């Protein structure tokens, strides 16, 4: 799902407040496939270039990825690849 945490109404449009909690911080071992199919360091909001028509914010993606990284990549090797593809406001 596309994250919308921290998205607030501001003068008839929605914007992201820019606040990222520690569990959602970027890490070099967490990569994201961008809309133009390049691997880059994942960062909140993860769906910004996929769901470009909406204000995207914090979701479950980065906290999940950091939790998996803590368990599987603790030795410093390996990487996690996230492939965002959700578009907010669509039916499941």
């Amino acid at each position: 799902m596309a994250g919308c945490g921290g998205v607030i109404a501001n003068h008839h449009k929605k914007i992201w407040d820019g606040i990222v909690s520690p569990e959602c911080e970027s890490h070099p071992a967490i990569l994201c496939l961008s809309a133009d199919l390049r691997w880059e360091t994942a960062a909140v909001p993860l769906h910004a270039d996929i769901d470009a028509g909406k204000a995207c914010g914090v979701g479950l993606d980065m906290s999940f990825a950091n939790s998996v990284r803590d368990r599987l990549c603790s030795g410093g090797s390996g990487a996690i690849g996230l492939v965002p593809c959700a578009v907010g406001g669509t039916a499941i």
Side-chain angles (χ1 to χ4, degrees), residues 33-87:
L33 188 63
S34 68
D36 60 353
L37 304 179
R38 288 181 298 117
W39 288 105
E40 52 193 39
T41 302
V44 173
L46 195 66
H47 288 80
D49 65 341
I50 301 295
D51 199 1
K54 298 195 176 168
C56 297
V58 178
L60 301 174
D61 38 38
M62 290 301 294
S63 63
F64 173 75
N66 275 304
S67 179
V68 171
R69 178 188 55 84
D70 289 346
R71 291 178 187 250
L72 298 181
C73 304
S74 60
S77 63
I80 296 168
L82 301 174
V83 181
C85 55
V87 176

